Amino acid sequence: MHAPEIRARALRIHLGGATIAEAARAVGLSYRTVWEWCREGPQPLVRGTAERCFRCRRDDGYPTDPPAYSYLLGLYLGDGHLVTSARVPVLRVSCSDAWPGLIDACDSAMRAVLATKVQRVAQQGCVSVQSYGKHWPCLFPQHGPGKKHERQIALADWQRRIVTAHPGAFLRGLFHSDGCRFSNRVTVRGKGYVYPRYMFTNESADIMGLCQWALDLLGIAWRMNRRNSLSVARREAVASLDRHVGPKS
C-alpha cells in the first residue's frame, strides 16, 4: 500500500498531460501501479496519521516529502519539543513572532510530514506551532525526558539517510531555530569592513556535531569560535549556505 499523497501526485501529473510511464517515473513506482490508479480514477485521501506516518505505512518507509522532514527535524532539534505524557502526543516548535515567514514554514513542514491540523499558540515573544498526533514519536525517536543537551542525541539510520540526501534542508531547520545570519563589522588598520556571517549556537554537543556533519556533506567550511557556538564566515562558505538557508523572514 502506497501513501495516498503519492497516488494523488501521480494522477495530477498524468492529468496534466504526462503519459502513464512519465507519471510512474516521476513518483518512482511501476508502470502497472500507476496504470491501475489512472484506470480507477481519484480516490479520497486518507488523512489519518496512521496512514500518513511513513514509519508505519507498508510501503518503503520513506517520507512523501523528504526535504520537509529534514527541515522539520532541524527545527525540532533546535527549538522543538515532543510531549508524550498526554493522551495524544503533541509536537511543539517555538518560533519567534519577529519571523512570520519562519512560522509559516514550520506550519507547512508539519502538514507535509504528518499533521492534518496545526495550531499556532501565541506566547510572550514567540508563537508555539504545534500539532497533535499519535505518530509523531515514530518520526522523532530523539524525544525523551529532560533537556536535549542533558541526554544523548543520535539520529537513527533511516534519519541519517534522509539527511544525507537533503543536508541543506536539515541545516535550514537548524539555523532557522538556533542560528542567525548577520553583518559582521571589523576594523583593520583603521579601515572598517562589513561581511555576512552565519552563527549556530546550541548547548548539545551531539546536535552541534550533527550541524558540523551536515556542513561537511555540503563542503561548507566552519569553525568553532566558542564551545557552544559555530561560525561560517568565509565568503564562499556563506554564499553556499545562502543557497540552502538564507536569512529568516
Side-chain angles (χ1 to χ4, degrees):
M1 181 179 67
H2 298 284
E5 290 85 356
I6 297 178
R7 178 190 183 114
R9 182 182 172 216
L11 290 175
R12 284 198 303 270
I13 294 172
H14 178 58
L15 292 174
T19 66
I20 293 177
E22 290 170 339
R25 285 195 295 270
V27 297
L29 295 176
S30 68
Y31 177 92
R32 179 71 183 182
T33 296
V34 177
W35 177 82
E36 290 178 351
W37 288 348
C38 294
R39 183 189 62 176
E40 295 169 358
Q43 293 182 354
L45 292 181
V46 178
R47 292 299 183 184
T49 56
E51 286 293 332
R52 301 201 70 198
C53 176
F54 61 86
R55 296 297 298 164
C56 295
R57 292 195 313 252
R58 291 174 291 173
D59 52 17
D60 60 0
Y62 205 70
T64 304
D65 191 336
Y69 175 78
S70 194
Y71 175 63
L72 187 59
L73 176 60
L75 288 178
Y76 164 74
L77 292 178
D79 288 328
H81 180 52
L82 180 56
V83 180
T84 59
S85 57
R87 184 177 62 86
V88 179
V90 55
L91 174 66
R92 294 191 177 105
V93 178
S94 296
C95 303
S96 171
D97 54 16
W99 311 110
L102 169 59
I103 297 170
D104 290 340
C106 180
D107 185 309
S108 297
M110 285 187 179
R111 294 177 189 275
V113 172
L114 182 72
T116 55
K117 295 181 180 179
V118 177
Q119 299 171 317
R120 302 184 184 191
V121 181
Q123 298 177 333
Q124 184 67 36
C126 70
V127 173
S128 179
V129 182
Q130 63 182 40
S131 170
Y132 288 85
K134 292 182 178 179
H135 290 263
W136 282 121
C138 304
L139 306 185
F140 296 101
Q142 289 72 33
H143 71 87
K147 300 177 180 178
K148 296 190 188 80
H149 69 273
E150 295 175 346
R151 65 178 192 269
Q152 182 183 20
I153 299 294
L155 298 187
D157 289 343
W158 58 268
Q159 290 178 303
R160 293 187 71 88
R161 289 194 294 271
I162 295 172
V163 174
T164 298
H166 304 280
F170 179 65
L171 288 169
R172 182 169 176 254
L174 288 178
F175 278 91
H176 277 186
S177 56
D178 282 342
C180 64
R181 183 188 189 276
F182 63 98
S183 296
N184 195 43
R185 301 177 184 275
V186 297
T187 301
V188 179
R189 299 186 182 91
K191 185 175 181 180
Y193 297 89
V194 180
Y195 63 93
R197 181 181 184 184
Y198 280 92
M199 296 287 291
F200 176 73
T201 304
N202 196 289
E203 290 296 327
S204 169
D206 291 336
I207 294 175
M208 184 63 71
L210 291 173
C211 181
Q212 296 167 354
W213 167 60
L215 289 168
D216 289 341
L217 288 175
L218 293 173
I220 296 175
W222 54 270
R223 68 179 182 86
M224 298 295 296
N225 59 321
R226 292 196 306 275
R227 172 192 58 81
N228 62 345
S229 179
L230 177 149
S231 169
V232 175
R234 293 183 182 177
R235 180 180 301 177
E236 64 276 10
V238 170
S240 181
L241 201 53
D242 275 344
R243 291 193 289 270
H244 298 282
V245 178
K248 301 177 188 179
S249 61

